[in-house]
Amino acid sequence: MKKRILITGISGQIGTNLAYNLIDKGFEIFGIDKRQNTWTNDLTTVHQDLSSRYDNFTDGLGCLDYGKVDLVIHLAANAKVHELVEYPTRALDNFMMTFNMIEYCRNNNIPIIYSSTREVYGDIQRYITNEADASFHTTESPYSASKISGEAFLYSYSKCYGLPYICYRFSNVYGRYDNDIERMERVIPLFYEKIKNGEPITIYGEDKVLDFTYVDDCVAGISSGVDKILTGEVQNKTFNLAHGSGNPLRTVADVFQEELGVKADLSFEPSRVGEVTHYVADISSAKKYLGYEPQTDLVNGLRKAAAWYASQSK
Ligand SMILES: NC(=O)c1ccc[n+]([C@@H]2O[C@H](COP(=O)([O-])OP(=O)(O)OC[C@H]3O[C@@H](n4cnc5c(N)ncnc54)[C@H](O)[C@@H]3O)[C@@H](O)[C@H]2O)c1
């Protein structure tokens, strides 16, 4: 019988890409999201706000019955760092969503995959960041606090109740299904749109160096974890999932200028409050335990992303 996987946040960028990958691999996928998917109606989705306070976790949250579930992949979150500096109650919502999902998993004996972030390392100005370097002492923003507290809850559930988990720390994922910039401003599709339309671009942090991850690499890393947590081969581990190399934001503008044949009007401002300005992931654990090998460097990833954005505006 097909394994049935619940993806929370399925209408988002990573959720949409991951759902297609797992359906192709033969899994039955159903999702929960509080909103409609921008790009497709193909993915079976229950519309529910996961940040409410629920009392019953037995078959689903509240009075809903999700049916048989073999694995939960918890992606739902308010995922924009700067937005959560302005509206910190959205960070509290992140925490409630995570609590609800791990309680649901505990009550129903379901393993969970949790989506954390490189923000848990803080802005430590250190290149090559190992999984052990995360610390609440370096928490830069309410978003980071919401993710680090989610991780703490996850680890405590594993210790106290034997809940099996994999935790991923993602970093600047870009590519297909990320261009709904009216809902969520992401730097890569935003730069593409602005350069295409001849609008000025502000780069916050000229010397910012980040680890950008092409979405297919990110999905391949999660997908491998899905196989391995279901067989029990890998459990209770935390992985950096990124490309493993650092690039300045400027590169994004340079590649899109070249792809679009347009000269951009660039200006520079200091990084904004709460932002991480230097990060390169140590991906050796993901390589060792998940066979993770990122395939797409930034320049090639941006070219693929540009081709996809162009196909969307036809
Ligand atoms: N994309 C990245 O670069 C990146 C980097 C680090 C961490 N992450 C984490 O990975 C996960 C997925 O990221 P993404 O880029 O796909 O984000 P996204 O915003 O595209 O998707 C998140 C989804 O969660 C849903 N959601 C938010 N609040 C909800 C609620 N109360 N109830 C139900 N659904 C709700 C949203 O509607 C959205 O569809 C998030 O947890 C994010 O914090 C992403």
Coordinates of all heavy atoms in Angstrom, one line a residue, residues 8-15 32-35 48-51 74-79 93 97 115-118 143 147 169-174 180 183-184 186, ligand 1:
T8 N 2.4 20.0 5.6 CA 1.8 21.3 6.0 C 2.5 22.4 5.2 O 3.7 22.3 4.8 CB 2.0 21.6 7.5 OG1 3.3 21.9 7.8 CG2 1.5 20.4 8.3
G9 N 1.8 23.5 4.9 CA 2.4 24.6 4.0 C 2.6 24.1 2.6 O 3.5 24.6 1.9
I10 N 1.7 23.2 2.1 CA 1.8 22.7 0.8 C 1.6 23.7 -0.3 O 2.1 23.5 -1.5 CB 0.8 21.5 0.6 CG1 1.3 20.6 -0.6 CG2 -0.6 21.9 0.5 CD1 0.5 19.3 -0.7
S11 N 0.9 24.8 0.0 CA 0.7 25.8 -1.1 C 2.0 26.7 -1.2 O 1.9 27.6 -2.1 CB -0.5 26.7 -0.7 OG -1.6 25.9 -0.6
G12 N 3.0 26.5 -0.4 CA 4.2 27.4 -0.5 C 5.2 26.9 -1.5 O 4.9 25.9 -2.3
Q13 N 6.3 27.6 -1.6 CA 7.3 27.3 -2.6 C 7.9 25.8 -2.4 O 7.8 25.0 -3.4 CB 8.5 28.3 -2.5 CG 9.6 28.0 -3.4 CD 11.0 28.4 -2.9 OE1 11.2 28.7 -1.7 NE2 11.9 28.5 -3.8
I14 N 8.4 25.6 -1.3 CA 9.0 24.2 -1.1 C 7.9 23.2 -1.1 O 8.1 22.1 -1.7 CB 9.9 24.2 0.2 CG1 11.0 25.2 0.2 CG2 10.4 22.8 0.5 CD1 11.8 25.4 1.4
G15 N 6.8 23.4 -0.5 CA 5.7 22.5 -0.4 C 5.2 22.0 -1.8 O 5.1 20.8 -2.1
I32 N -2.0 20.5 4.0 CA -2.8 21.5 4.8 C -2.1 22.8 4.5 O -0.9 23.0 4.6 CB -2.8 21.2 6.3 CG1 -3.4 19.8 6.6 CG2 -3.5 22.3 7.0 CD1 -3.4 19.4 8.0
D33 N -3.0 23.8 4.3 CA -2.5 25.2 4.1 C -3.7 26.1 4.4 O -4.8 25.7 4.2 CB -1.9 25.4 2.7 CG -0.9 26.6 2.8 OD1 -1.3 27.7 3.1 OD2 0.3 26.3 2.5
K34 N -3.4 27.3 4.9 CA -4.5 28.2 5.2 C -5.0 28.9 3.9 O -5.9 29.6 4.0 CB -4.1 29.2 6.3 CG -3.0 30.2 5.8 CD -2.7 31.2 6.9 CE -1.7 32.2 6.5 NZ -1.3 33.1 7.5
R35 N -4.2 28.7 2.8 CA -4.6 29.4 1.6 C -4.5 28.5 0.4 O -3.8 27.5 0.4 CB -3.8 30.7 1.4 CG -2.4 30.4 1.2 CD -1.5 31.6 1.1 NE -0.2 31.0 0.8 CZ 0.3 30.8 -0.4 NH1 -0.3 31.2 -1.4 NH2 1.5 30.2 -0.5
Q48 N -6.9 24.9 6.4 CA -7.0 25.0 7.9 C -5.9 25.9 8.4 O -4.8 25.9 7.9 CB -6.8 23.6 8.5 CG -7.0 23.6 10.0 CD -6.9 22.1 10.6 OE1 -6.4 21.2 10.0 NE2 -7.4 22.0 11.8
D49 N -6.2 26.7 9.4 CA -5.2 27.6 10.1 C -4.6 26.8 11.2 O -5.2 26.4 12.2 CB -5.9 28.8 10.6 CG -4.9 29.8 11.2 OD1 -3.7 29.3 11.5 OD2 -5.2 31.0 11.4
L50 N -3.3 26.4 11.0 CA -2.7 25.5 11.9 C -2.2 26.2 13.2 O -1.6 25.6 14.1 CB -1.5 24.8 11.3 CG -1.9 23.9 10.1 CD1 -0.6 23.4 9.4 CD2 -2.6 22.7 10.7
S51 N -2.3 27.6 13.2 CA -1.8 28.3 14.4 C -2.8 28.5 15.5 O -2.5 29.1 16.5 CB -1.2 29.7 14.0 OG -2.3 30.5 13.5
H74 N 6.5 19.1 8.1 CA 5.9 20.4 8.6 C 6.7 21.6 8.0 O 7.8 21.9 8.5 CB 6.0 20.4 10.1 CG 5.5 21.6 10.7 ND1 4.3 22.3 10.3 CD2 6.0 22.4 11.7 CE1 4.1 23.4 11.0 NE2 5.1 23.5 11.8
L75 N 6.1 22.2 7.0 CA 6.7 23.3 6.3 C 6.0 24.6 6.6 O 6.5 25.7 6.4 CB 6.7 23.1 4.8 CG 7.4 21.9 4.2 CD1 7.2 21.8 2.7 CD2 8.9 22.0 4.5
A76 N 4.7 24.5 7.1 CA 3.9 25.8 7.3 C 4.6 26.7 8.2 O 5.0 26.3 9.3 CB 2.5 25.4 7.8
A77 N 4.7 28.0 7.9 CA 5.3 29.0 8.7 C 5.1 30.4 8.1 O 4.8 30.5 6.9 CB 6.8 28.8 8.9
N78 N 5.2 31.4 8.9 CA 5.4 32.7 8.4 C 6.9 32.8 8.2 O 7.6 32.8 9.2 CB 4.9 33.8 9.4 CG 3.4 33.6 9.6 OD1 2.6 33.6 8.7 ND2 3.0 33.5 10.8
A79 N 7.3 32.9 6.9 CA 8.7 32.6 6.7 C 9.6 33.8 6.3 O 10.7 33.6 5.8 CB 8.8 31.6 5.5
D93 N 2.8 32.5 16.1 CA 2.0 31.6 15.3 C 2.9 30.4 14.8 O 2.4 29.3 14.7 CB 1.4 32.3 14.1 CG 0.3 33.3 14.5 OD1 -0.2 33.2 15.6 OD2 -0.1 34.1 13.6
M97 N 2.1 26.5 15.5 CA 1.9 25.5 14.4 C 2.8 24.3 14.7 O 2.4 23.2 14.5 CB 2.3 26.1 13.1 CG 1.3 27.1 12.5 SD 1.8 27.6 10.8 CE 2.0 29.4 11.1
S115 N 11.0 21.9 9.3 CA 11.8 22.8 8.4 C 12.3 24.0 9.3 O 11.5 24.8 9.7 CB 10.9 23.3 7.3 OG 9.7 23.8 7.8
S116 N 13.6 23.9 9.6 CA 14.2 25.0 10.3 C 15.0 25.9 9.3 O 14.8 25.7 8.1 CB 15.0 24.5 11.5 OG 15.5 25.6 12.2
T117 N 15.9 26.6 9.8 CA 16.5 27.6 8.9 C 18.0 27.9 9.4 O 18.3 27.8 10.5 CB 15.7 28.9 9.0 OG1 16.4 30.0 8.3 CG2 15.5 29.4 10.4
R118 N 18.7 28.4 8.4 CA 20.1 28.9 8.8 C 20.1 30.0 9.8 O 21.1 30.4 10.4 CB 20.9 29.2 7.6 CG 20.3 30.4 6.7 CD 21.0 31.7 6.8 NE 20.2 32.8 6.4 CZ 20.0 33.2 5.2 NH1 20.6 32.5 4.2 NH2 19.2 34.2 4.9
Y143 N 11.8 35.6 14.0 CA 11.7 34.4 13.1 C 12.6 33.3 13.6 O 12.3 32.2 13.7 CB 12.0 34.8 11.7 CG 12.1 33.7 10.7 CD1 10.9 33.0 10.3 CD2 13.3 33.3 10.1 CE1 11.0 31.9 9.4 CE2 13.4 32.3 9.2 CZ 12.3 31.6 8.9 OH 12.4 30.5 8.0
K147 N 11.9 29.5 15.1 CA 12.5 28.3 14.6 C 13.3 27.5 15.6 O 13.3 26.3 15.7 CB 13.3 28.5 13.3 CG 12.4 29.0 12.1 CD 11.5 27.9 11.7 CE 10.8 28.3 10.4 NZ 9.9 27.2 9.9
R169 N 17.8 22.5 8.1 CA 18.0 24.0 8.1 C 18.3 24.4 6.7 O 19.3 24.2 6.1 CB 19.2 24.3 9.1 CG 18.9 24.0 10.5 CD 20.0 24.3 11.4 NE 19.7 23.9 12.8 CZ 20.6 23.6 13.7 NH1 21.9 23.5 13.4 NH2 20.2 23.2 14.9
F170 N 17.3 25.1 6.1 CA 17.3 25.6 4.7 C 18.0 26.9 4.7 O 18.1 27.6 5.7 CB 15.9 25.7 4.1 CG 15.1 24.5 4.2 CD1 13.8 24.5 4.6 CD2 15.6 23.2 3.8 CE1 13.0 23.4 4.6 CE2 14.8 22.1 3.8 CZ 13.5 22.2 4.2
S171 N 18.4 27.3 3.4 CA 19.1 28.6 3.2 C 18.7 29.1 1.9 O 19.0 28.5 0.8 CB 20.6 28.4 3.4 OG 21.2 29.6 3.1
N172 N 18.0 30.2 1.8 CA 17.7 30.9 0.6 C 17.4 30.0 -0.6 O 18.1 29.9 -1.6 CB 18.9 31.8 0.1 CG 18.9 33.1 0.9 OD1 19.6 33.2 1.9 ND2 18.2 34.1 0.5
V173 N 16.3 29.3 -0.5 CA 15.8 28.4 -1.5 C 15.2 29.3 -2.6 O 14.4 30.1 -2.3 CB 14.8 27.4 -1.0 CG1 14.5 26.4 -2.0 CG2 15.4 26.7 0.3
Y174 N 15.5 29.0 -3.9 CA 14.9 29.8 -5.0 C 14.7 28.8 -6.2 O 15.3 27.7 -6.3 CB 15.9 30.9 -5.4 CG 17.2 30.4 -6.0 CD1 17.3 30.3 -7.4 CD2 18.2 29.9 -5.2 CE1 18.5 29.8 -8.0 CE2 19.3 29.4 -5.8 CZ 19.5 29.4 -7.2 OH 20.6 28.8 -7.7
D180 N 5.4 34.4 -6.3 CA 4.2 35.1 -5.8 C 4.6 36.2 -4.9 O 4.3 36.2 -3.7 CB 3.3 34.1 -5.1 CG 3.9 33.3 -4.0 OD1 5.2 33.2 -3.9 OD2 3.2 32.7 -3.2
R183 N 2.5 38.2 -2.3 CA 2.3 37.6 -1.0 C 3.6 37.7 -0.2 O 3.5 38.0 1.0 CB 1.8 36.2 -1.1 CG 1.8 35.4 0.2 CD 1.5 33.9 0.0 NE 2.5 33.2 -0.5 CZ 3.4 32.5 0.3 NH1 3.3 32.6 1.6 NH2 4.4 31.8 -0.3
M184 N 4.7 37.4 -0.8 CA 5.9 37.2 -0.1 C 7.1 37.6 -0.9 O 7.4 37.1 -1.9 CB 6.0 35.7 0.2 CG 7.3 35.2 0.7 SD 7.1 34.4 2.2 CE 8.7 33.5 2.3
R186 N 10.5 37.7 -2.1 CA 11.8 37.0 -2.0 C 12.7 37.7 -2.9 O 12.4 38.0 -4.0 CB 11.6 35.5 -2.4 CG 10.6 34.7 -1.6 CD 10.5 33.4 -2.2 NE 9.2 32.8 -2.0 CZ 9.0 31.8 -1.1 NH1 10.0 31.4 -0.4 NH2 7.8 31.3 -0.9
Ligands
LIG1 N1 12.4 29.1 1.2 C1 13.5 29.4 1.9 O1 14.5 30.0 1.5 C2 13.6 28.9 3.4 C3 14.7 29.1 4.1 C4 14.8 28.7 5.4 C5 13.7 28.1 6.0 N2 12.5 27.9 5.3 C6 11.4 27.3 5.9 O2 10.8 26.3 5.1 C7 9.4 26.3 5.2 C8 8.8 26.4 3.8 O3 9.3 27.6 3.2 P1 8.6 28.2 1.9 O4 9.7 29.1 1.3 O5 8.0 27.2 1.1 O6 7.6 29.2 2.5 P2 6.2 29.7 1.9 O7 5.8 30.9 2.6 O8 6.2 29.7 0.4 O9 5.2 28.5 2.4 C9 4.7 28.4 3.7 C10 3.3 28.0 3.6 O10 2.8 28.0 5.0 C11 1.4 28.4 4.9 N3 1.0 28.9 6.3 C12 1.5 30.0 6.9 N4 0.8 30.1 8.1 C13 -0.1 29.1 8.1 C14 -1.1 28.7 9.1 N5 -1.3 29.5 10.2 N6 -1.9 27.6 8.8 C15 -1.6 26.9 7.7 N7 -0.7 27.2 6.8 C16 0.0 28.3 7.0 C17 1.5 29.6 3.9 O11 0.2 29.9 3.5 C18 2.4 29.1 2.9 O12 1.8 28.5 1.8 C19 9.0 27.4 6.1 O13 8.9 26.8 7.4 C20 10.2 28.3 6.1 O14 10.3 29.0 7.4 C21 12.4 28.3 4.0

